[in-house]
Amino acid sequence: MSSPLRLGIAGLGTVGMGVVGIVQDHAALIAARAGRAVQIVAVSARDKTRDRGRDLSGYAFEADPVALARRSDIDVFVEVMGGHEGPARAATEAAIAAGHDVVTANKALLAHHGQALALAAEAAGRSIRFEAAVAGGIPVIKALTEGLAANRMRRVMGVMNGTCNYILTRMEATGQGYNVLFQECADLGYLEADPNLDVGGIDAGHKLSLLAAIAFGTEVSFDAVELEGIQNVSLDDIRLARDMGYRIKLLGVAQMTGRGLEQRMTPCLVPADSPLGQLQGGTNMVVLEGDQVGQIVLRGPGAGMGPTASAVMADVIDLARGVRLPVFGQPAATLTRPVAARTATPAPYYLRMMLLDKPGALAKIATCLGEAGVSIDQMRQYGHEGVNAPVLIVTHKATRDDIAHAMGLFGGTGVLVGDPVALRIEEV
Ligand code: HSE
């Protein structure tokens, strides 16, 4: 057997300790599968003395992750600290400069600096692996870069933030509002240190931008992702969408169109009986569509100690086997700079509004839609609330600009009460 693969692990939180656990508990299994042993040489964490429930005495300790990254007695730098600047970035750059491969769970770091880091790693003949950064335990990076490598990818979609899916599905199941369930997530420890990363769609947007880079051979362009969080999704919309046969999900969609690369992470309606519509709780789902394979659906845990460490160790085992792929599936120098699509592909829209209950009100709204070139597919009026009538409209496919134009015209009718809601219906 060849010499052991030596790891330096920066970060001894949930994921880091999950990695330590797998290395300690599955040593024989890993050695058999990788053809060599994998051992931990050194670790780094903010607090050296905290009891983490595992024997770490055999590992050297570095207070500074950059010092760990520069050690000459490691082969792979495992970065599981998080954060897209500061120590995580500095240590990753230092590891590459020192000639080490990197395995990271850090989606934010790669979403912001992926291209520069990939260029540096590949120039040094090294790799950065990041299976754990997207959809936790689901092997989606491997699926895209290896299993589907012969496909021209058409579209990549996914529910990739478990916390948001937990909140949305609990809102439907319990009838409790967003604020109550946000607090429940805080109490359960589900939220990132900055909760806006979760509920603002940023964390899921980071993940989508990484998948898009691989799928379409483009430089990571997180800044071009259209982002909208779940903070304004109302119980009314969850209930009414359900009534029309849909569920609301924080859905990521990336596709290459004739107008450029479209990347969206926004609340959308999906058919309630589709795999995405049926996804409950904190689970993730990624849907990959290739021209040869058709549609692949991957479902599994998107966070947590075991699933995330499982993904980190899959990358470590590949490196132990000598498998060193380009970071984004093709050399970073060959990735093209994407042009961002200015508008989303046309889709049906769900419109909810409150109208004054008087003759001709609905006709005025229908006229506005007609003037904007938007055709109505379904319409429903619900029991009156005082002098107002809640109205739901599902349109045929329309552009977002046309929907915005129609909504602008609604304001001039004199029959609209409050602000209308428009949500895209994604054909999945
Ligand atoms: N906070 C994320 C989630 C997991 O809720 O899915 C880490 O990206």
Side-chain angles (χ1 to χ4, degrees):
M1 221 180 239
S2 21
S3 56
L5 184 84
R6 301 162 301 172
L7 308 182
I9 302 177
L12 293 177
T14 304
V15 181
M17 288 311 298
V19 173
V20 170
I22 294 178
V23 172
Q24 292 185 348
D25 297 345
H26 289 181
L29 174 153
I30 290 169
R33 291 183 178 161
R36 60 198 283 207
V38 170
Q39 60 179 225
I40 299 167
V41 168
V43 296
S44 173
R46 261 184 291 220
D47 177 0
K48 181 179 180 183
T49 54
R50 185 155 69 86
D51 179 8
R52 294 178 169 88
R54 289 256 172 199
D55 180 9
L56 306 176
S57 60
Y59 314 144
F61 184 87
E62 297 279 3
D64 176 7
V66 173
L68 174 68
R70 289 190 180 132
R71 284 178 73 108
S72 58
D73 58 354
I74 65 167
D75 302 304
V76 179
F77 178 66
V78 178
E79 190 275 295
V80 282
M81 294 180 290
H84 69 270
E85 298 297 343
R89 182 179 179 189
T92 301
E93 288 171 348
I96 294 165
H100 302 319
D101 292 301
V102 174
V103 173
T104 181
N106 192 333
K107 60 234 64 170
L109 177 71
L110 293 179
H112 287 278
H113 307 296
Q115 179 66 12
L117 290 170
L119 284 170
E122 289 169 16
R126 299 289 125 186
S127 189
I128 302 172
R129 303 292 304 258
F130 59 96
E131 187 67 77
V134 182
I138 301 178
V140 61
I141 304 298
K142 216 174 224 315
L144 261 181
T145 52
E146 298 179 48
L148 303 181
N151 285 259
R152 184 176 295 280
M153 297 308 295
R154 290 188 176 133
R155 189 167 62 154
V156 173
M157 292 187 287
V159 168
M160 293 181 276
N161 184 275
T163 304
C164 288
N165 203 53
Y166 178 88
I167 291 176
L168 293 174
T169 51
R170 290 275 294 159
M171 282 172 78
E172 180 183 339
T174 67
Q176 291 172 306
Y178 170 82
N179 290 331
V180 173
L181 290 162
F182 178 89
Q183 190 52 48
E184 185 174 304
C185 282
D187 296 342
L188 290 167
Y190 286 0
L191 292 169
E192 299 281 337
D194 171 4
N196 196 42
L197 288 174
D198 285 315
V199 296
I202 300 163
D203 165 83
H206 288 152
K207 296 167 182 168
L208 183 73
S209 71
L210 300 179
L211 294 184
I214 302 171
F216 305 113
T218 47
E219 294 181 11
V220 182
S221 57
F222 168 67
D223 289 346
V225 179
E226 177 192 339
L227 282 181
E228 186 185 329
I230 63 165
Q231 302 96 326
N232 296 323
V233 175
S234 71
L235 263 178
D236 280 347
D237 287 317
I238 287 178
R239 287 198 191 109
L240 294 171
R242 183 79 187 97
D243 196 36
M244 304 285 277
Y246 297 103
R247 284 212 167 92
I248 300 179
K249 297 288 173 194
L250 179 68
L251 184 69
V253 180
Q255 62 192 121
M256 187 59 84
T257 72
R259 298 162 291 104
L261 178 63
E262 193 176 321
Q263 302 180 90
R264 289 180 270 116
M265 182 59 69
T266 57
C268 289
L269 273 64
V270 295
D273 60 1
S274 64
L276 282 162
Q278 292 187 347
L279 189 70
Q280 296 287 312
T283 308
N284 282 198
M285 182 173 284
V286 186
V287 178
L288 306 171
E289 292 175 354
D291 65 344
Q292 301 303 313
V293 74
Q295 191 180 75
I296 302 275
V297 178
L298 301 170
R299 175 185 182 281
M305 178 185 262
T308 313
S310 159
V312 168
M313 287 305 296
D315 285 341
V316 167
I317 289 169
D318 262 358
L319 291 168
R321 288 169 170 154
V323 176
R324 193 176 281 122
L325 299 172
V327 180
F328 294 107
Q330 65 185 66
T334 69
L335 296 167
T336 57
R337 191 158 295 168
V339 174
R342 199 187 61 79
T343 54
T345 305
Y349 277 79
Y350 156 104
L351 307 177
R352 176 172 64 84
M353 65 204 79
M354 196 68 92
L355 300 184
L356 283 180
D357 185 19
K358 63 181 198 184
L362 213 43
K364 287 185 176 165
I365 294 298
T367 302
C368 295
L369 286 166
E371 271 180 38
V374 178
S375 174
I376 296 171
D377 180 30
Q378 297 179 56
M379 187 150 72
R380 239 174 242 186
Q381 183 173 310
Y382 286 82
H384 295 182
E385 297 173 10
V387 293
N388 302 327
V391 168
L392 268 193
I393 294 173
V394 172
T395 72
H396 282 293
K397 276 189 189 176
T399 65
R400 196 175 36 202
D401 286 352
D402 288 344
I403 294 290
H405 179 198
M407 305 236 300
L409 296 174
F410 292 169
T413 59
V415 298
L416 190 67
V417 182
D419 290 330
V421 170
L423 289 167
R424 184 182 169 92
I425 301 176
E426 196 67 42
E427 296 183 311
V428 298

